[in-house]
Every structure is written in structure tokens, then in C-alpha cells.
């Protein structure tokens, strides 16, 4: 299992190094709990140029309590930000397999 994970991370980091400036890749992701319940997310990794990346988590379900929110002034309903982005990640950090 360790070898499979190492091979995956090595290939994944190699893929990141090939993302052209101002381009992005969309990755499937999520999590699974021990009892089998699972939740899917989408991750967007964008090369913003100048050796910086952004990482966006797109989520529409479980875990939204950790996303920013606001209230609609007309209805009073809570509005969740389903996409949350981390900006200005140095490329050297993402290209280091220990980051992942």
C-alpha cells in the first residue's frame, strides 16, 4: 500500500509541474467514514503564474459548516459559499510531495 501511495504522489506532483500558467486542473475528491458513509467534492488546482497557485474546494454537502456564509437580507436565509479558495500558495510548496 505504501508503494502505491508513493507512486500516486510522485505522478501527481509531476502532473502539477506541467500545469501551464493561468490554467487549471479539476480533481475528484472527498472522504469516506469508517462506517462507509462518503461525500464527494471537487478540487481545482490553478497555476496563477509568477510561481503561485490557488486551491479551491467545491462542496455542496457535509462540511459546509466550515465554509464562509452570510444571510440574505430579503429572506433571512443563510447562504453558504460552496467554493472556498486558498490563494498565493508558493509553487515550491505544492511541488514538494510532503505537502500532500
Amino acid at each position: 500500500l505504501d508503494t502505491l501511495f508513493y507512486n500516486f504522489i510522485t505522478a501527481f506532483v509531476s502532473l502539477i509541474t506541467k500545469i501551464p500558467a493561468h490554467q487549471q486542473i479539476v480533481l475528484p475528491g472527498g472522504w469516506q467514514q469508517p462506517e462507509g458513509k462518503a461525500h464527494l467534492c471537487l478540487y481545482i488546482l490553478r497555476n496563477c503564474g509568477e510561481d503561485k497557485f490557488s486551491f479551491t474546494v467545491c462542496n455542496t454537502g457535509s462540511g459546509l459548516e466550515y465554509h464562509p456564509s452570510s444571510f440574505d437580507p430579503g429572506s433571512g436565509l443563510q447562504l453558504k459559499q460552496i467554493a472556498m479558495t486558498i490563494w498565493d500558495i508558493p509553487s515550491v510548496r505544492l511541488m514538494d510531495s510532503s505537502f500532500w
Side-chain angles (χ1 to χ4, degrees), residues 27-48:
L27 306 159
W31 62 88
Q32 183 173 0
Q33 297 174 340
E35 63 274 4
K37 185 177 178 184
H39 183 72
L40 299 176
C41 294
L42 284 178
Y43 304 125
I44 302 169
L45 188 59
R46 180 173 178 80
N47 181 342
C48 299

Side-chain angles (χ1 to χ4, degrees), residues 55-72:
F55 182 75
T56 301
V57 177
C58 300
N59 181 14
T60 60
S62 183
L64 278 177
E65 64 270 20
Y66 302 108
H67 289 239
S69 65
S70 62
F71 288 93
D72 182 281

